[in-house]
């Protein structure tokens, strides 16, 4: 048996019990009121909560060299996340301290050479956000420059990802939030991986509808029947809460045979672990790569989708490149975009119609229940 995260041994035992019909469903049927997708006040609270929690914004390989920077607005606040000259990660509001101009204009990855020069009146900041020059400073006789550095937000590197909290401050207890994922993610050594490609999209749907699509194993045999559906045996899965997050594993074709004959070479060939990092990140451990996708609400009925396909090493040959191209095409374009996000837009169209006052969920949709519970608990708090 290959080396793999020990947590998978337990997950395989649980999944085997599911296949053998020995596990009771973790929850009974439940309903979700459709007004939870249309209530503007609730939506504003959710957006506020998203800015108070750690969210993955990049893989470390995307911010590896000094000066590499990500301009990121999708959390509803203009942010820049960068690697400074000493090699430390910094995250700051991308907002001038004079009259508030956004400093770096284009969203996405860029290179910061010296620092940030505001186009409006020329205030100048170094790469760590320190205000270094104010043109005609005598116009501000009482200005304390040190009090006008760019405003930091907490940033943290763990499991090969860059996590940000979009609220002013330097400190956040990332560890208590992320520790429940340690046993699963640490052994994957994703910090040595690279991103093959980032796929982004905006779609007309509420963000919770998208999260639900990735907390639901029930749809795979139907919605994905022409793409990845056939890779899975009977679409059986085991799911559980992992702190605020959700951990699942689903059996691939050959799962039962491999278990029966004790012929497991690589667990990822016979079962696919998937996670939702609360609140808005989807993580899928495919046989030879991983997918990390984050869902950002832009408005109550629109999302921004960001998916990084993460591979063990940069492709060295045309054959390797073609292999990852095929996977990207299948997963990002075929499955996520044309199937999952497509169906979410279809649901959105029906949400406000009055056809359903409640959405009905079965026992296999248990993770949706846990995720909503966690969300409600945190909103109440
Ligand atoms: S707003 Fe940036 S220098 Fe005036
Ligand atoms: Fe799906």
């Amino acid at each position: 048996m290959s080396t793999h995260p020990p947590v998978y041994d337990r997950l395989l035992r649980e999944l085997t019990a599911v296949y053998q019909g020995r596990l009771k469903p973790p929850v009974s049927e439940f309903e979700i009121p459709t007004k939870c997708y249309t209530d503007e006040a609730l939506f504003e609270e959710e957006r506020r909560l998203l800015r108070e929690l750690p969210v993955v914004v990049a893989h470390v390989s995307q911010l590896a060299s000094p000066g590499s920077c990500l301009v990121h607005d999708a959390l509803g606040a203009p942010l820049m996340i960068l690697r400074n000259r000493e090699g430390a990660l910094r995250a700051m509001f991308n907002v001038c301290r004079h009259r508030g101009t956004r400093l770096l204009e284009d969203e996405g990855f860029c290179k910061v050479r010296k620092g940030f020069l505001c186009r409006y009146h020329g205030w100048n900041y170094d790469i760590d956000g320190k205000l270094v020059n104010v043109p005609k400073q005598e116009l501000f006789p009482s200005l304390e420059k040190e009090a006008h550095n760019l405003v930091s937000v907490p940033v943290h590197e763990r499991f090969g990802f860059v996590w940000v909290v979009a609220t002013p401050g330097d400190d956040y207890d990332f560890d208590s939030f992320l520790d429940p994922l340690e046993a699963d993610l640490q052994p994957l050594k994703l910090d040595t991986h690279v991103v093959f490609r980032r796929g982004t999209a905006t779609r007309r749907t509420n963000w919770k509808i998208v999260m639900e699509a990735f907390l639901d194993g029930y749809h795979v045999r139907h919605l994905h029947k022409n793409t990845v559906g056939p890779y899975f045996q009977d679409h059986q899965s085991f799911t559980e809460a992992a702190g605020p997050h959700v951990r699942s594993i689903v059996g691939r074709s050959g799962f039962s045979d491999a278990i029966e004959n004790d012929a497991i070479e690589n667990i990822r060939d016979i079962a696919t672990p998937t996670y939702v990092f609360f609140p808005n990140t989807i993580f899928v451990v495919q046989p030879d790569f991983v997918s990390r996708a984050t869902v950002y609400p832009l408005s109550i009925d629109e999302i921004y989708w960001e998916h990084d396909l993460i591979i063990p090493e940069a492709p060295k040959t045309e054959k390797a490149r073609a292999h990852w191209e095929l996977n990207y095409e299948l997963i990002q374009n075929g499955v996520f975009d044309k199937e999952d996000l497509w169906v979410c837009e279809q649901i959105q169209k029906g949400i406000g119609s009055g056809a359903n006052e409640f959405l009905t969920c079965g026992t296999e949709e248990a993770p949706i229940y846990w995720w909503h519970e966690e969300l409600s608990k945190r909103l109440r708090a």
Side-chain angles (χ1 to χ4, degrees):
M1 192 181 287
S2 69
T3 54
H4 56 263
V7 68
Y8 290 1
D9 285 330
R10 181 177 62 78
L11 292 176
L12 280 192
R13 281 197 301 278
E14 301 282 15
L15 185 58
T16 304
V18 172
Y19 273 88
Q20 294 171 346
R22 290 188 282 115
L23 270 201
K24 279 219 209 82
V27 299
S28 38
E29 298 155 270
F30 60 99
E31 292 182 325
I32 306 171
T34 42
K35 70 171 184 314
C36 95
Y37 309 99
T38 56
D39 182 328
E40 287 282 356
L42 176 65
F43 174 73
E44 284 313 317
E45 286 296 294
E46 290 165 359
R47 258 204 131 183
R48 178 192 52 76
L49 182 67
L50 281 171
R51 291 199 294 267
E52 292 174 357
L53 292 172
V55 172
V56 180
V57 291
H59 182 257
V60 285
S61 65
Q62 292 166 309
L63 292 170
S65 56
S68 50
C69 178
L70 171 63
V71 178
H72 197 275
D73 286 5
L75 278 163
L79 296 177
M80 48 191 178
I81 302 101
L82 60 92
R83 179 89 49 192
N84 73 6
R85 271 190 252 292
E86 287 72 44
L89 276 176
R90 297 290 322 265
M92 297 172 273
F93 285 112
N94 182 18
V95 178
C96 180
R97 298 301 309 282
H98 175 221
R99 298 235 314 276
T101 305
R102 231 166 126 265
L103 295 164
L104 294 177
E105 214 173 316
D106 296 332
E107 276 196 72
F109 292 100
C110 64
K111 196 88 188 165
V112 174
R113 301 208 186 275
K114 290 209 183 100
F116 315 98
L117 177 67
C118 182
R119 276 179 68 187
Y120 201 176
H121 313 90
W123 283 30
N124 198 1
Y125 306 86
D126 73 9
I127 193 167
D128 286 300
K130 185 171 172 230
L131 177 59
V132 287
N133 187 47
V134 171
K136 285 183 75 85
Q137 200 182 324
E138 60 278 18
L139 300 175
F140 301 85
S142 60
L143 179 80
E144 288 174 44
K145 284 234 287 285
E146 332 59 81
H148 288 77
N149 296 330
L150 297 183
V151 175
S152 299
V153 303
V155 62
H156 186 67
E157 193 173 316
R158 191 156 173 199
F159 309 135
F161 293 118
V162 178
W163 306 77
V164 163
V165 179
T167 296
D170 289 312
D171 296 327
Y172 185 90
D173 183 5
F174 286 96
D175 286 341
S176 354
F177 194 79
L178 301 179
D179 281 350
L181 299 167
E182 167 81 18
D184 305 81
L185 295 191
Q186 193 51 41
L188 296 176
K189 298 198 178 358
L190 295 177
D191 52 342
T192 63
H193 287 43
V194 296
V195 173
F196 176 66
R197 189 170 300 154
R198 169 168 285 196
T200 62
T202 52
R203 287 285 174 270
R204 300 299 306 207
T205 179
N206 181 272
W207 74 288
K208 291 188 286 193
I209 294 173
V210 184
M211 293 315 297
E212 287 160 10
F214 287 89
L215 288 154
D216 153 25
Y218 179 42
H219 73 276
V220 179
R221 72 201 75 172
H222 300 284
L223 181 64
H224 302 312
K225 66 177 186 295
N226 297 323
T227 52
V228 288
Y231 296 162
F232 298 94
Q233 182 195 325
D234 307 330
H235 306 94
Q236 303 261 38
S237 60
F238 169 77
T239 58
E240 63 182 6
H245 318 288
V246 172
R247 172 191 289 131
S248 312
I249 188 164
V250 50
R252 297 181 75 88
S253 307
F255 174 80
S256 297
D257 283 351
I259 294 286
E260 228 163 79
N261 303 321
D262 196 16
I264 306 166
E265 290 220 347
N266 180 355
I267 284 178
R268 287 162 65 172
D269 290 337
I270 60 155
T272 296
T274 69
Y275 299 80
V276 164
F277 306 158
F278 189 80
N280 62 336
T281 291
I282 294 139
F283 181 74
V284 185
V285 185
Q286 306 276 13
D288 58 354
F289 65 94
V290 303
S291 278
R292 186 279 300 176
T294 301
V295 179
Y296 300 94
L298 296 179
S299 66
I300 196 164
D301 59 359
E302 188 170 36
I303 60 117
Y304 177 72
W305 165 267
E306 174 188 280
H307 167 218
D308 282 340
L309 193 127
I310 301 169
I311 60 176
E313 59 175 7
K316 292 198 181 88
T317 61
E318 266 319 301
K319 191 169 160 220
R321 175 163 294 281
H323 170 77
W324 298 123
E325 286 289 354
L326 268 180
N327 277 288
Y328 180 85
E329 179 56 34
L330 172 68
I331 300 298
Q332 166 60 21
N333 295 339
V335 179
F336 290 166
D337 197 51
K338 292 202 178 71
E339 294 178 340
D340 290 309
L341 296 180
W342 170 82
V343 90
C344 293
E345 287 194 319
Q346 303 312 305
I347 295 170
Q348 181 66 38
K349 286 179 181 163
I351 279 291
S353 67
N356 289 309
E357 197 181 336
F358 294 92
L359 303 184
T360 303
C361 300
T363 58
E364 209 177 334
E365 291 150 277
I368 295 178
Y369 183 86
W370 298 327
W371 183 83
H372 273 274
E373 283 283 293
E374 185 68 31
L375 185 67
S376 306
K377 189 179 87 192
R378 288 177 184 263
L379 288 172
R380 279 196 304 271

